[in-house]
Amino acid sequence: MNQRAEILLVDDREENLLALEAMLRDEDAVLLKARSGREALELLLDHEVALALLDVQMPEMDGFELAELMRGMARTREIPIVFITAGLHDQARVFRGYESGAVDFLFKPLDGHVLASKVRVFLQLFHQKRQLAERVGELETALGERRQALEALRRSEEHFRAIAESLPQLVFEADAQGRPHYFNRRFEEFLGVRPGSLPALGERVPPDDWLRLEASWRQAVLDSAPLECEHRLRRHDGQYRWFITRAFPVCSAGGRVLRWFGTATDIHELKQTQEALHAADRNKDRFLAMLSHELRNPLAPIKNSLFILGQAAPGSPQGRRAQGVIGRQVDQLVRLVEDLLDVTRITQGKIYIRRERLDLNLLLRHVIEDHRPQIERGEIDLEVRLPAAPAFVDGDGTRLAQVVGNLLQNSIKFTSPGGAIRISAQLDPSRGQAAIRVADNGMGIEPTLLPQLFRPFTQADTSLSRTQGGLGLGLALVKGLVELHGGEVSAHSEGLGRGAEFEVRLPLAEAAAARAPVAAAPVHAVPRRVLIIEDNVDAADSLREVLELGGHQVAVAYDGPEGVARARELRPDVVLCDIGLPGMDGYAVARLLRSDPSLEGVHLVALSGYALPADLERAAAAGFERHVAKPPTPEKLAELLAALPAREWRAEEASPA
């Protein structure tokens, strides 16, 4: 008489176990109940379980973790697992369930008839496997029972096929020597072959993957050991998708391999995600290496020049040259930081353009004049072709000048002395666009690099020396800014050594009379009493000296509490306050100063590296009148202080110490 099969029910809630027991009460099986993963493992060590029904969400050890432990133990490796969950029908959770070794995934509330039907199939399969093992063993010792054993094998095969057809994976079966002789319907549909045919998988797997898969399969058959291998497989429409193939030997009671049972699970989306993460990680490493290189480059001449300034006589040619070097290198550092910030703002959708009616001809002439010294130093011929009529667009003049300047700078960088650059603009009324082209006969671009040229951190100069420098952000900025204007940018090159051409297309505006430029009002130095609150001592002291050179009276505090105390003591006209202060940040300082009646009328200016729109709004809410992004230029500070309304000085007010 056959031993009754045992079913393991695992759920941390007693009412769920009782519900499962009620649904399966009529089945000819012993129901083992466990309320945790640990209790389930103890039962598995003492019982031969035919089927495990696992709840997914359990404390300490969830269903996925329990399934992985079962698959890792020889005793429990082949026990069918059905996950039961009350969660949402999440494809990722289902995928993880099958990856953990599940044969089915059921969602609550359960249909008792469906559950009982599925369990009945697995119980039948368990009995059939047990009978098959017994009969195969008898066949080895008694040839007279051969017919009965073969019949049991046939019935078991029918049950196996029924289960295989119900699985979502691609299922196959192979003989003891590893030759496939069965593919389930899903496998046939994926390959696009006739039902019952035996496709040649070697023709559907890329050669490199096939060599690896075939070698792993031969070794598994030789060792009678399970197989697991990732590879690509061509679908009937020609698309290659990534799969993880697993195969397990089905053995007789005596340990002899009778056949192989295998599944192929689609992991294409997971693989693509992994590859994208790896690519992002590689890009991060390249970016950090470039950033380190580009930041270190200006630091050496700055340090050398500071040493020269300390040794050279004031006003000497050496001193003036050192000052020039420091100025140029600091400008380079500022450009690097601004490029990084601009790319971040564009990708986050936090950059704004101020549209006005612009004549592209005038804008291009200004950009060309700004870069003419570089062009002349590089001994490069420049050809300019502009339309006779004005080309009006509605755009941000500063940002469009940045676009053209980046393209021109790029051509200058990769064009050798004696080379040529051509800048042209054309009107295309039929498309309602203006086309700006910057072309050179310089280094050129590899065809493989063109599709990714406008991605951040992409460099045409990938050699170890990287003589041209840069973070590879210029063209990414160009693309982002052009698209913000409703335009498009493209690049073309015949290859290395054959030059490159960049084209920017912008929507034309209706022709309008050009506005005469408004002359900037001269900035008159108005003496102010200024309090600087800044925790960076060098930044605070250097800013004080800049303002004192402009005729202002300046005091400094190096933290928030000291700044509040000095403001109450000195009653300045203007407070320049850093936001990122230790102990008490700039917002708290502003709120305290605004709440003090004795400081009514003091102008509060936020001086910070936090310059996104949300930062400006927060600064205004705290009481700041203005917001200046670091590092401010002396001209910007002079303009700001001149624009602030003057306070009426009182004789009793103290002077800064």
Side-chain angles (χ1 to χ4, degrees), residues 279-439:
D281 192 55
R282 290 192 298 270
N283 286 338
K284 177 205 68 177
D285 291 341
R286 284 198 296 269
F287 164 66
L288 291 176
M290 286 190 291
L291 180 61
S292 174
H293 179 273
E294 294 303 321
L295 290 179
R296 287 177 185 274
N297 276 346
L299 293 180
I302 288 174
K303 291 184 68 175
N304 294 338
S305 299
L306 288 173
F307 176 80
I308 293 171
L309 285 176
Q311 302 295 321
S316 66
Q318 275 186 316
R320 289 194 297 272
R321 285 195 298 271
Q323 287 178 327
V325 169
I326 292 174
R328 289 191 297 273
Q329 298 304 319
V330 169
D331 287 344
Q332 173 68 8
L333 286 172
V334 170
R335 281 195 298 271
L336 290 174
V337 174
E338 287 297 329
D339 281 354
L340 282 170
L341 292 175
D342 280 346
V343 167
T344 301
R345 293 178 188 127
I346 288 174
T347 55
Q348 295 179 351
K350 294 181 178 179
I351 194 168
Y352 299 92
I353 57 175
R354 298 172 177 85
R355 293 184 180 273
E356 58 180 334
R357 186 63 53 87
L358 301 170
D359 180 3
L360 282 182
N361 290 344
L362 186 61
L363 183 142
L364 290 173
R365 290 191 184 99
H366 287 166
V367 174
I368 291 168
E369 289 308 310
D370 290 342
H371 288 80
R372 192 174 293 279
Q374 288 178 278
I375 296 171
E376 292 175 351
R377 283 197 302 270
E379 300 178 9
I380 298 170
D381 292 332
L382 178 65
E383 179 185 353
V384 180
R385 297 178 183 176
L386 301 179
F392 290 108
V393 297
D394 289 326
D396 188 318
T398 301
R399 292 303 187 180
L400 290 180
Q402 186 179 3
V403 166
V404 180
N406 280 1
L407 293 178
L408 184 53
Q409 183 70 30
N410 193 71
S411 287
I412 295 171
K413 186 187 298 185
F414 294 108
T415 301
S416 302
I421 296 175
R422 183 181 72 254
I423 300 177
S424 63
Q426 289 181 330
L427 302 182
D428 187 353
S430 63
R431 297 176 62 180
Q433 292 179 329
I436 303 169
R437 296 183 179 88
V438 179

Side-chain angles (χ1 to χ4, degrees), residues 98-113:
Y98 288 123
E99 283 292 291
S100 301
V103 297
D104 207 344
F105 208 111
L106 302 180
F107 291 85
K108 299 177 182 177
L110 298 174
D111 186 318
H113 296 293

Side-chain angles (χ1 to χ4, degrees), residues 214-232:
E214 190 178 34
S216 300
W217 184 234
R218 282 200 304 266
Q219 192 63 45
V221 172
L222 184 63
D223 298 339
S224 300
L227 163 79
E228 182 172 306
C229 184
E230 293 183 5
H231 61 89
R232 288 162 292 177

Side-chain angles (χ1 to χ4, degrees), residues 29-88:
V30 177
L31 302 179
L32 306 175
K33 294 183 290 183
R35 293 155 186 82
S36 68
R38 186 181 300 276
E39 186 177 345
L41 290 174
E42 292 175 355
L43 290 173
L44 287 167
L45 293 176
D46 297 329
H47 296 269
E48 183 183 2
V49 174
L51 174 65
L53 303 179
L54 309 183
D55 183 31
V56 172
Q57 296 177 341
M58 295 187 295
E60 298 184 0
M61 182 189 303
D62 64 24
F64 296 142
E65 294 170 334
L66 176 57
E68 289 167 357
L69 288 175
M70 291 173 63
R71 287 293 174 256
M73 297 188 297
R75 177 180 176 82
T76 59
R77 183 176 296 130
E78 295 185 7
I79 296 175
I81 296 173
V82 175
F83 282 119
I84 298 176
T85 180
L88 297 175

